[in-house]
Coordinates of all heavy atoms in Angstrom, one line a residue:
M186 N 8.2 53.3 21.4 CA 9.0 53.6 22.6 C 9.7 55.0 22.4 O 10.0 55.6 23.4 CB 9.9 52.4 23.0 CG 10.4 52.5 24.4 SD 8.9 52.3 25.4 CE 9.8 52.0 27.0
L187 N 10.2 55.2 21.2 CA 10.9 56.4 20.9 C 10.0 57.6 21.0 O 10.4 58.6 21.7 CB 11.4 56.4 19.3 CG 12.0 57.7 18.8 CD1 13.3 57.9 19.6 CD2 12.3 57.6 17.4
A188 N 8.8 57.5 20.8 CA 7.8 58.6 21.0 C 7.6 58.8 22.5 O 7.5 60.0 22.9 CB 6.4 58.4 20.4
R189 N 7.6 57.9 23.3 CA 7.5 57.9 24.7 C 8.8 58.7 25.3 O 8.6 59.6 26.1 CB 7.3 56.6 25.4 CG 7.2 56.7 26.8 CD 6.9 55.3 27.4 NE 6.8 55.3 28.8 CZ 6.7 54.3 29.5 NH1 7.0 53.1 29.1 NH2 6.5 54.3 30.8
R190 N 9.8 58.3 24.8 CA 11.2 59.1 25.4 C 11.2 60.4 24.8 O 11.5 61.4 25.6 CB 12.4 58.2 24.9 CG 12.6 57.0 25.5 CD 14.0 56.3 25.2 NE 14.3 56.3 23.8 CZ 14.5 55.2 23.1 NH1 14.2 54.0 23.7 NH2 14.7 55.2 21.9
R191 N 10.7 60.7 23.7 CA 10.6 62.2 23.1 C 9.7 62.8 24.0 O 10.1 64.1 24.2 CB 10.3 62.0 21.7 CG 10.3 63.5 21.1 CD 9.9 63.4 19.5 NE 10.7 62.5 18.8 CZ 10.5 61.9 17.8 NH1 9.2 61.9 17.3 NH2 11.3 61.1 17.1
H192 N 8.6 62.4 24.3 CA 7.6 63.2 25.1 C 8.1 63.4 26.4 O 8.0 64.6 27.0 CB 6.4 62.4 25.2 CG 5.5 62.4 24.0 ND1 4.8 61.3 23.5 CD2 5.2 63.5 23.1 CE1 4.3 61.6 22.4 NE2 4.5 62.9 22.0
L193 N 8.8 62.4 27.1 CA 9.4 62.7 28.4 C 10.5 63.7 28.3 O 10.7 64.5 29.3 CB 10.0 61.3 28.9 CG 10.4 61.4 30.4 CD1 9.4 61.9 31.3 CD2 11.0 60.0 30.8
Y194 N 11.3 63.6 27.3 CA 12.4 64.7 27.1 C 11.7 66.1 27.0 O 12.2 67.0 27.6 CB 13.2 64.3 25.8 CG 14.2 65.4 25.5 CD1 15.4 65.5 26.1 CD2 13.9 66.3 24.5 CE1 16.3 66.5 25.8 CE2 14.8 67.3 24.2 CZ 16.1 67.3 24.9 OH 17.0 68.4 24.5
L195 N 10.7 66.2 26.1 CA 10.1 67.5 26.0 C 9.4 68.0 27.3 O 9.5 69.2 27.6 CB 9.1 67.4 24.8 CG 9.7 67.3 23.5 CD1 8.6 67.1 22.3 CD2 10.6 68.5 23.0
A196 N 8.9 67.2 28.0 CA 8.3 67.5 29.3 C 9.3 68.0 30.3 O 9.2 69.0 31.0 CB 7.5 66.3 29.9
M197 N 10.5 67.2 30.3 CA 11.6 67.7 31.2 C 12.1 69.0 30.9 O 12.4 69.9 31.7 CB 12.6 66.6 31.3 CG 12.1 65.2 32.0 SD 13.4 64.0 31.9 CE 14.5 64.6 33.2
M198 N 12.4 69.1 29.6 CA 12.9 70.5 29.1 C 11.9 71.6 29.3 O 12.3 72.7 29.7 CB 13.4 70.5 27.6 CG 14.5 69.4 27.5 SD 16.0 69.8 28.4 CE 16.6 71.4 27.8
G199 N 10.7 71.4 29.0 CA 9.6 72.3 29.4 C 9.6 72.7 30.9 O 9.3 73.9 31.2
T200 N 9.7 71.7 31.8 CA 9.8 72.0 33.1 C 11.0 72.9 33.5 O 11.0 73.8 34.3 CB 9.9 70.7 34.0 OG1 8.7 70.0 33.5 CG2 9.9 70.9 35.3
C201 N 12.1 72.5 32.8 CA 13.3 73.4 33.0 C 13.1 74.8 32.7 O 13.5 75.7 33.4 CB 14.6 72.8 32.1 SG 16.0 73.6 32.2
I202 N 12.6 75.1 31.5 CA 12.4 76.4 31.0 C 11.4 77.1 31.9 O 11.5 78.3 32.4 CB 11.9 76.5 29.6 CG1 13.2 76.1 28.7 CG2 11.4 77.8 29.2 CD1 12.7 75.9 27.3
G203 N 10.4 76.4 32.3 CA 9.4 76.8 33.3 C 9.9 77.2 34.6 O 9.5 78.3 35.2
L204 N 10.8 76.5 35.2 CA 11.4 76.8 36.4 C 12.3 78.1 36.3 O 12.2 79.0 37.1 CB 12.3 75.6 36.9 CG 11.6 74.5 37.6 CD1 12.6 73.4 37.7 CD2 11.1 74.9 38.8
F205 N 13.1 78.2 35.2 CA 13.8 79.4 35.1 C 12.9 80.8 34.9 O 13.2 81.6 35.6 CB 14.7 79.4 33.8 CG 16.0 78.7 34.0 CD1 16.4 77.6 33.3 CD2 17.0 79.2 34.8 CE1 17.6 77.0 33.5 CE2 18.2 78.7 35.1 CZ 18.5 77.5 34.4
V206 N 11.9 80.7 34.1 CA 11.0 81.7 33.9 C 10.3 82.1 35.2 O 10.3 83.3 35.6 CB 10.1 81.6 32.8 CG1 9.1 82.6 32.7 CG2 10.8 81.5 31.4
L207 N 9.8 81.0 35.8 CA 9.0 81.3 37.1 C 10.0 81.8 38.1 O 9.6 82.8 38.9 CB 8.3 80.1 37.6 CG 7.5 80.2 38.7 CD1 6.2 81.0 38.4 CD2 7.0 78.7 39.1
A208 N 11.1 81.4 38.3 CA 12.1 81.8 39.4 C 12.5 83.3 39.2 O 12.4 84.0 40.1 CB 13.4 80.9 39.2
W209 N 12.8 83.7 38.0 CA 13.2 85.1 37.8 C 12.1 86.1 37.6 O 12.4 87.2 37.5 CB 14.3 85.1 36.9 CG 15.5 84.4 37.4 CD1 16.1 83.3 36.9 CD2 16.2 84.7 38.6 NE1 17.1 82.9 37.7 CE2 17.2 83.7 38.8 CE3 16.1 85.7 39.5 CZ2 18.1 83.7 39.8 CZ3 17.1 85.7 40.6 CH2 17.9 84.8 40.7
A210 N 11.0 85.6 37.1 CA 9.9 86.6 36.8 C 9.0 86.6 38.0 O 8.5 87.7 38.3 CB 9.1 86.1 35.7
V211 N 8.8 85.7 39.0 CA 7.9 85.8 40.0 C 8.6 85.5 41.4 O 8.5 86.3 42.3 CB 6.8 84.8 39.8 CG1 5.8 84.7 40.9 CG2 6.0 84.9 38.5
V212 N 9.3 84.4 41.5 CA 9.7 84.0 42.8 C 10.8 85.0 43.4 O 10.8 85.1 44.5 CB 10.2 82.5 42.8 CG1 10.8 82.3 44.1 CG2 9.1 81.6 42.3
R213 N 11.6 85.5 42.5 CA 12.6 86.4 43.0 C 12.1 87.6 43.8 O 12.8 88.3 44.5 CB 13.5 86.9 41.9 CG 12.9 87.8 41.0 CD 13.9 88.4 40.0 NE 13.2 89.2 39.0 CZ 13.0 90.5 39.1 NH1 13.4 91.2 40.2 NH2 12.3 91.3 38.2
L214 N 10.8 87.9 43.4 CA 10.2 89.1 44.3 C 10.0 88.9 45.6 O 10.0 89.8 46.4 CB 8.9 89.5 43.5 CG 9.0 89.9 41.9 CD1 7.6 90.1 41.4 CD2 9.9 91.2 41.8
W215 N 9.8 87.6 45.9 CA 9.7 87.2 47.3 C 10.8 86.6 48.0 O 11.1 86.9 49.2 CB 8.4 86.2 47.5 CG 7.2 86.9 47.2 CD1 6.4 87.7 48.1 CD2 6.5 87.0 46.0 NE1 5.3 88.0 47.6 CE2 5.3 87.7 46.2 CE3 6.6 86.3 44.8 CZ2 4.3 87.9 45.3 CZ3 5.7 86.5 43.7 CH2 4.5 87.3 44.1
S216 N 11.6 85.8 47.3 CA 12.8 85.2 47.9 C 13.8 84.9 46.9 O 13.6 83.9 46.0 CB 12.4 83.9 48.6 OG 13.4 83.2 49.1
I217 N 14.9 85.5 47.0 CA 16.0 85.3 46.0 C 16.7 83.9 46.2 O 17.0 83.3 45.2 CB 17.0 86.5 45.9 CG1 16.3 87.8 45.5 CG2 18.3 86.1 45.2 CD1 17.3 89.0 45.4
P218 N 16.8 83.5 47.4 CA 17.5 82.1 47.6 C 16.6 81.1 47.1 O 17.1 80.1 46.5 CB 17.6 82.0 49.2 CG 17.7 83.5 49.6 CD 16.8 84.3 48.7
V219 N 15.3 81.1 47.2 CA 14.5 80.1 46.6 C 14.6 80.2 45.0 O 14.6 79.1 44.4 CB 12.9 80.3 47.1 CG1 12.1 79.4 46.3 CG2 12.9 80.2 48.5
A220 N 14.6 81.4 44.4 CA 14.8 81.5 43.0 C 16.0 80.9 42.6 O 16.1 80.3 41.5 CB 14.7 83.0 42.6
V221 N 17.2 81.2 43.3 CA 18.4 80.6 43.0 C 18.4 79.1 43.2 O 18.9 78.3 42.3 CB 19.6 81.1 43.8 CG1 21.0 80.3 43.7 CG2 19.8 82.6 43.5
G222 N 17.7 78.5 44.1 CA 17.5 77.2 44.3 C 16.8 76.5 43.0 O 17.1 75.3 42.7
M223 N 15.7 77.1 42.7 CA 14.9 76.7 41.5 C 15.8 76.6 40.3 O 15.7 75.7 39.5 CB 13.7 77.6 41.2 CG 12.6 77.4 42.3 SD 11.3 78.7 42.0 CE 10.6 78.3 40.5
C224 N 16.7 77.7 40.1 CA 17.6 77.6 38.9 C 18.6 76.5 39.0 O 19.0 75.9 38.1 CB 18.4 78.9 38.8 SG 17.3 80.2 38.2
V225 N 19.0 76.1 40.3 CA 20.0 75.1 40.4 C 19.3 73.6 40.0 O 19.9 72.9 39.4 CB 20.6 75.0 41.9 CG1 21.3 73.7 42.1 CG2 21.5 76.2 42.1
V226 N 18.1 73.6 40.5 CA 17.3 72.3 40.1 C 17.1 72.3 38.5 O 17.2 71.3 37.9 CB 15.9 72.4 40.8 CG1 15.0 71.3 40.2 CG2 16.1 72.1 42.3
A227 N 16.8 73.5 37.9 CA 16.6 73.6 36.4 C 18.0 73.4 35.8 O 17.9 72.7 34.6 CB 16.1 74.9 36.1
M228 N 19.0 73.6 36.4 CA 20.4 73.4 35.8 C 20.7 71.8 35.6 O 21.3 71.4 34.8 CB 21.4 74.1 36.6 CG 22.8 73.9 36.1 SD 24.0 74.7 37.2 CE 23.9 73.9 38.6
V229 N 20.2 71.1 36.6 CA 20.4 69.7 36.5 C 19.5 68.9 35.5 O 19.8 67.8 35.1 CB 20.1 69.0 38.0 CG1 20.3 67.5 38.1 CG2 21.1 69.8 39.0
I230 N 18.4 69.4 35.2 CA 17.4 68.8 34.4 C 17.9 68.5 32.9 O 17.7 67.4 32.5 CB 16.1 69.6 34.3 CG1 15.4 69.5 35.7 CG2 15.1 69.0 33.2 CD1 14.2 70.3 35.8
P231 N 18.5 69.3 32.2 CA 19.1 69.1 30.8 C 19.9 67.8 30.7 O 19.7 66.9 29.8 CB 19.7 70.4 30.4 CG 18.9 71.5 31.1 CD 18.8 70.9 32.4
P232 N 20.9 67.6 31.5 CA 21.8 66.5 31.3 C 20.9 65.1 31.6 O 21.1 64.3 30.9 CB 22.8 66.5 32.3 CG 23.0 68.0 32.7 CD 21.5 68.6 32.5
V233 N 20.1 65.2 32.6 CA 19.2 64.0 32.9 C 18.2 63.8 31.8 O 18.1 62.6 31.3 CB 18.4 64.2 34.1 CG1 17.5 63.2 34.4 CG2 19.4 64.4 35.4
A234 N 17.7 64.8 31.1 CA 16.7 64.7 30.0 C 17.5 64.2 28.7 O 17.0 63.3 28.1 CB 16.2 66.1 29.6
A235 N 18.7 64.5 28.6 CA 19.5 64.0 27.5 C 19.8 62.5 27.6 O 19.7 61.7 26.7 CB 20.9 64.7 27.3
M236 N 20.1 62.0 28.9 CA 20.3 60.6 29.1 C 19.0 59.8 29.1 O 19.2 58.8 28.5 CB 20.9 60.4 30.7 CG 22.3 60.9 30.8 SD 22.9 60.6 32.4 CE 22.4 61.9 33.3
V237 N 17.9 60.4 29.6 CA 16.6 59.7 29.3 C 16.3 59.6 27.8 O 15.8 58.5 27.3 CB 15.6 60.5 30.1 CG1 14.1 60.0 29.7 CG2 15.8 60.3 31.4
A238 N 16.4 60.6 27.0 CA 16.1 60.6 25.5 C 17.1 59.6 24.8 O 16.6 59.1 23.7 CB 16.2 62.1 25.1
N239 N 18.4 59.4 25.3 CA 19.3 58.7 24.5 C 19.5 57.4 24.9 O 20.3 56.5 24.3 CB 20.6 59.4 24.3 CG 20.6 60.7 23.6 OD1 19.9 60.6 22.5 ND2 21.1 61.8 24.1
R240 N 18.8 56.9 26.0 CA 19.0 55.6 26.5 C 18.4 54.5 25.4 O 17.4 54.8 24.8 CB 18.5 55.4 27.9 CG 17.0 55.4 27.9 CD 16.5 55.3 29.3 NE 15.1 55.6 29.3 CZ 14.3 54.9 30.0 NH1 14.5 54.0 30.7 NH2 13.0 55.3 30.0
R241 N 18.9 53.4 25.5 CA 18.4 52.3 24.7 C 17.5 51.4 25.5 O 17.7 51.0 26.6 CB 19.4 51.5 24.1 CG 20.3 52.2 23.1 CD 21.3 51.3 22.5 NE 22.3 52.1 21.8 CZ 22.3 52.4 20.5 NH1 21.3 52.0 19.8 NH2 23.3 53.0 19.9
G242 N 16.3 51.1 24.9 CA 15.3 50.2 25.6 C 15.6 48.7 25.2 O 16.4 48.4 24.4
P243 N 14.9 47.9 26.0 CA 15.1 46.4 25.7 C 14.6 46.1 24.3 O 15.1 45.1 23.7 CB 14.2 45.8 26.8 CG 13.4 46.8 27.2 CD 14.0 48.1 27.1
E244 N 13.7 46.7 23.7 CA 13.3 46.5 22.4 C 14.2 47.0 21.1 O 14.1 46.7 20.1 CB 11.9 47.0 22.2 CG 11.8 48.6 22.0 CD 12.0 49.3 23.3 OE1 11.7 48.6 24.3 OE2 12.0 50.4 23.3
D245 N 15.2 47.8 21.7 CA 16.1 48.3 20.6 C 17.2 47.4 20.5 O 17.9 47.0 21.3 CB 16.7 49.7 21.2 CG 15.9 50.8 21.3 OD1 14.8 50.7 20.6 OD2 16.0 51.8 22.1
R246 N 17.3 46.7 19.3 CA 18.1 45.6 19.0 C 19.5 46.1 18.4 O 20.0 45.5 17.5 CB 17.6 44.7 17.9 CG 16.0 44.2 18.4 CD 16.2 43.3 19.6 NE 16.8 42.1 19.1 CZ 16.9 40.9 19.9 NH1 16.3 40.9 20.9 NH2 17.5 39.9 19.4
W247 N 20.2 46.9 19.2 CA 21.5 47.4 18.8 C 22.5 46.4 18.9 O 23.5 46.5 18.3 CB 21.8 48.7 19.6 CG 21.9 48.5 21.1 CD1 20.7 48.6 21.9 CD2 22.9 48.2 21.9 NE1 21.1 48.4 23.2 CE2 22.5 48.1 23.2 CE3 24.3 47.9 21.6 CZ2 23.3 47.7 24.2 CZ3 25.0 47.6 22.7 CH2 24.6 47.5 23.9
W248 N 22.5 45.5 19.8 CA 23.6 44.6 20.0 C 23.6 43.5 19.1 O 24.6 42.8 18.9 CB 23.5 43.8 21.5 CG 22.1 43.2 21.7 CD1 22.0 41.9 21.4 CD2 21.0 43.6 22.3 NE1 20.7 41.6 21.6 CE2 20.1 42.6 22.3 CE3 20.6 44.9 22.7 CZ2 18.7 42.7 22.7 CZ3 19.2 45.0 23.1 CH2 18.4 43.9 23.1
D249 N 22.5 43.3 18.2 CA 22.5 42.3 17.2 C 23.0 42.8 15.9 O 23.2 41.9 14.9 CB 21.0 41.8 16.9 CG 20.6 41.0 18.1 OD1 21.3 40.8 19.0 OD2 19.4 40.6 18.0
D250 N 23.2 44.1 15.7 CA 23.7 44.7 14.4 C 25.1 44.0 14.1 O 26.0 44.1 14.9 CB 23.8 46.1 14.5 CG 22.3 46.7 14.6 OD1 21.4 46.0 14.3 OD2 22.3 47.9 15.1
P251 N 25.2 43.6 12.9 CA 26.6 43.2 12.4 C 27.6 44.4 12.3 O 27.2 45.4 11.9 CB 26.3 42.5 11.1 CG 25.0 42.8 10.7 CD 24.3 43.4 11.8
S252 N 28.8 44.1 12.7 CA 29.8 45.1 12.7 C 30.4 45.4 11.3 O 30.9 46.4 11.1 CB 30.9 44.8 13.7 OG 31.7 43.6 13.2
G253 N 30.2 44.4 10.4 CA 30.8 44.5 9.1 C 32.1 43.7 9.0 O 32.7 43.3 7.9
D254 N 32.7 43.2 10.1 CA 33.9 42.4 10.1 C 33.4 40.9 10.2 O 32.9 40.6 11.4 CB 34.8 42.9 11.2 CG 36.0 42.0 11.3 OD1 36.3 41.2 10.4 OD2 36.7 41.9 12.4
P255 N 33.5 40.1 9.1 CA 33.0 38.8 9.2 C 33.6 38.0 10.4 O 32.9 37.2 11.1 CB 33.3 38.2 7.9 CG 33.7 39.3 7.0 CD 34.1 40.5 7.9
Q256 N 34.9 38.0 10.6 CA 35.5 37.3 11.5 C 34.9 37.7 13.1 O 34.6 36.9 13.9 CB 37.0 37.5 11.6 CG 37.8 36.6 12.5 CD 39.2 36.7 12.4 OE1 39.7 37.5 11.7 NE2 40.0 35.9 13.1
S257 N 34.8 38.9 13.2 CA 34.3 39.4 14.5 C 32.8 39.0 14.8 O 32.5 38.7 15.7 CB 34.4 41.0 14.6 OG 33.9 41.7 15.8
D258 N 32.1 39.2 13.7 CA 30.7 38.9 13.8 C 30.5 37.3 14.1 O 29.7 36.9 14.9 CB 29.9 39.1 12.6 CG 29.7 40.7 12.2 OD1 29.8 41.5 13.3 OD2 29.6 41.1 11.2
E259 N 31.3 36.4 13.4 CA 31.3 35.1 13.7 C 31.6 34.8 15.3 O 31.0 34.0 15.7 CB 32.2 34.3 12.7 CG 32.2 32.8 12.8 CD 33.1 32.2 11.8 OE1 33.3 32.7 10.7 OE2 33.6 31.2 12.1
W260 N 32.7 35.5 15.6 CA 33.2 35.3 17.0 C 32.0 35.8 18.0 O 31.8 35.0 19.0 CB 34.5 36.0 17.3 CG 35.0 35.9 18.6 CD1 35.7 34.9 19.1 CD2 35.0 36.9 19.7 NE1 36.1 35.0 20.3 CE2 35.8 36.3 20.8 CE3 34.5 38.1 19.8 CZ2 35.9 36.9 21.9 CZ3 34.7 38.9 21.0 CH2 35.5 38.1 22.0
W261 N 31.4 36.8 17.8 CA 30.4 37.2 18.7 C 29.1 36.4 18.7 O 28.4 35.9 19.6 CB 29.9 38.7 18.4 CG 30.9 39.6 18.9 CD1 31.8 40.4 18.3 CD2 31.0 40.0 20.4 NE1 32.5 41.2 19.2 CE2 32.1 40.9 20.4 CE3 30.6 39.4 21.5 CZ2 32.5 41.5 21.7 CZ3 30.9 40.0 22.8 CH2 31.8 41.0 22.8
D262 N 28.8 35.8 17.4 CA 27.7 34.9 17.3 C 28.0 33.6 18.1 O 27.1 33.0 18.6 CB 27.4 34.6 15.8 CG 26.8 35.7 15.2 OD1 26.1 36.6 15.9 OD2 26.8 35.8 13.9
E263 N 29.2 33.0 17.9 CA 29.7 32.0 18.7 C 29.5 32.1 20.2 O 29.0 31.3 20.9 CB 31.0 31.6 18.3 CG 31.6 30.2 19.0 CD 33.1 30.0 18.6 OE1 33.5 30.4 17.6 OE2 33.7 29.3 19.5
L264 N 29.9 33.3 20.6 CA 29.8 33.6 22.2 C 28.3 33.7 22.7 O 27.9 33.3 23.6 CB 30.5 34.9 22.5 CG 31.9 34.9 22.5 CD1 32.5 36.3 22.8 CD2 32.5 34.0 23.6
D265 N 27.4 34.3 21.7 CA 26.0 34.5 21.9 C 25.2 33.1 21.7 O 24.0 32.9 22.0 CB 25.4 35.5 21.1 CG 25.8 36.9 21.4 OD1 26.2 37.0 22.5 OD2 25.7 37.8 20.5
G266 N 25.9 32.0 21.1 CA 25.4 30.7 20.8 C 24.4 30.7 19.7 O 23.6 29.9 19.5
K267 N 24.7 31.7 18.8 CA 23.9 31.6 17.5 C 24.8 30.9 16.5 O 26.0 30.9 16.5 CB 23.9 33.1 16.9 CG 23.0 34.0 17.8 CD 22.9 35.3 17.3 CE 22.2 36.3 18.1 NZ 22.3 37.6 17.6
K268 N 24.2 30.2 15.6 CA 24.9 29.4 14.5 C 24.5 30.2 13.2 O 23.3 30.5 12.9 CB 24.3 28.1 14.4 CG 24.5 27.3 15.6 CD 26.1 27.0 15.8 CE 26.3 26.1 17.0 NZ 27.5 26.1 17.4
R269 N 25.5 30.7 12.6 CA 25.3 31.4 11.3 C 25.7 30.4 10.1 O 26.8 29.8 10.3 CB 26.2 32.7 11.2 CG 25.6 33.7 12.3 CD 26.7 34.9 12.2 NE 26.4 35.5 10.9 CZ 27.1 36.6 10.5 NH1 27.9 37.2 11.3 NH2 26.9 37.1 9.3
P270 N 25.0 30.5 9.1 CA 25.4 29.8 8.1 C 26.7 30.4 7.4 O 26.8 31.5 7.2 CB 24.3 29.9 7.0 CG 23.5 31.1 7.4 CD 23.7 31.3 8.9
R271 N 27.6 29.5 7.1 CA 28.8 29.8 6.3 C 28.5 30.2 4.9 O 27.9 29.5 4.2 CB 29.9 28.9 6.5 CG 30.3 28.6 7.9 CD 31.7 28.0 8.0 NE 31.9 27.7 9.4 CZ 32.9 28.5 10.0 NH1 33.5 29.5 9.4 NH2 33.1 28.2 11.4
S272 N 29.1 31.3 4.5 CA 29.0 31.7 3.0 C 30.2 31.7 2.4 O 31.3 31.6 2.8 CB 28.4 33.1 3.0 OG 29.1 34.0 3.8

């Protein structure tokens, strides 16, 4: 899943760079407002790409990781319905 998110991130960032280059190398010769609009769209892509790349999927088991505090871990395990052996 990490590779899929990475590929999507790279595709989005490539699209962003492509929009900027295309807007100011080609489109501005015919229509400056369209070129500016393309840059506005390209400006929105990097934050969205960062959110897509950093989101956690259902297979990422981040919520199961112990915090290091035994009392807190025991409390969360009790809330989750897990029984941990006492050591």
Side-chain angles (χ1 to χ4, degrees):
M186 204 59 170
L187 177 63
R189 183 177 180 195
R190 288 193 308 249
R191 185 178 301 149
H192 288 135
L193 187 56
Y194 174 80
L195 291 174
M197 291 176 80
M198 293 306 290
T200 302
C201 176
I202 291 171
L204 280 172
F205 271 119
V206 170
L207 188 64
W209 294 113
V211 178
V212 176
R213 73 172 171 89
L214 299 173
W215 287 280
S216 175
I217 291 179
V219 172
V221 170
M223 289 172 67
C224 285
V225 168
V226 170
M228 181 180 67
V229 174
I230 293 175
V233 173
M236 287 186 274
V237 166
N239 290 316
R240 71 184 165 134
R241 295 186 191 265
E244 70 283 347
D245 296 336
R246 304 293 294 190
W247 58 272
W248 61 87
D249 288 1
D250 294 341
S252 68
D254 178 20
Q256 185 177 6
S257 176
D258 291 339
E259 184 178 331
W260 184 71
W261 280 108
D262 287 343
E263 181 182 337
L264 286 177
D265 290 338
K267 296 179 187 175
K268 298 290 185 200
R269 293 180 64 182
R271 296 201 179 254
S272 46

